[in-house]
Amino acid sequence: MQTAELLGIHRTTLRNWKLTHDEIRRLYQSDGQDGDEERKKQVEEALLKRAIGYTQTEITRQVGKDGKLGVVKTVEKQVMPSTTAQIFWLKNRCGYEWDGGVVDDEENEGGVVVIPEARTENEGEF
């Protein structure tokens, strides 16, 4: 396994990690289309979340005098929407309306573009 070699561990160790850690097992469960569709859905959801913004809770923990880990403070932070993510999402979901190529003026009503025919080398010669 190339992964084990890159990590500098034995293949058996990697195999055991896959059995005991869900995150690692999921990385190796790309059963063709099902895995790809699931990852695509996760990326779409993450992109939309970033486009509209979200609230994130951060918890600070510290070891107390009694030696136990305790919560010192909990803070809610607002992650602002990303304009880049919004544009990316709109271009992929709304297509031609957001691709940057359509100009909304009187000459181009309805998004119709007239492309002149290509001329061949012999055309127009008598």
Side-chain angles (χ1 to χ4, degrees):
M1 291 187 162
Q2 291 177 346
T3 306
E5 291 174 18
L6 287 171
L7 293 172
I9 60 174
H10 195 271
R11 291 185 308 198
T12 307
T13 304
L14 181 58
R15 192 176 310 119
N16 289 336
W17 285 357
K18 285 193 267 182
L19 293 172
T20 57
H21 299 285
D22 290 335
E23 300 87 16
I24 296 173
R25 182 175 35 252
R26 273 189 241 117
L27 290 173
Y28 285 91
Q29 289 179 340
S30 59
D31 297 305
Q33 296 291 334
D34 293 338
D36 291 343
E37 285 299 318
E38 182 61 30
R39 278 194 281 287
K40 180 179 163 186
K41 183 178 178 182
Q42 289 174 345
V43 170
E44 287 175 350
E45 289 171 357
L47 179 62
L48 179 59
K49 182 177 177 181
R50 188 65 183 102
I52 62 176
Y54 57 96
T55 303
Q56 174 177 308
T57 303
E58 291 184 3
I59 300 171
T60 305
R61 300 177 191 268
Q62 190 173 17
V63 178
K65 293 179 183 177
D66 58 356
K68 295 183 179 180
L69 190 64
V71 175
V72 175
K73 65 179 177 178
T74 303
V75 179
E76 262 193 28
K77 292 189 174 183
Q78 179 68 34
V79 178
M80 298 306 293
S82 165
T83 309
T84 304
Q86 291 170 349
I87 292 168
F88 203 98
W89 193 88
L90 287 168
K91 281 185 176 184
N92 283 285
R93 290 295 181 143
C94 301
Y96 72 93
E97 295 176 32
W98 286 91
D99 70 356
V102 176
V103 179
D104 190 21
D105 59 11
E106 292 178 10
E107 293 179 12
N108 193 14
E109 284 189 17
V112 176
V113 178
V114 178
I115 301 174
E117 289 184 28
R119 293 186 179 194
T120 62
E121 291 180 25
N122 296 333
E123 191 174 298
E125 295 180 14
F126 294 105

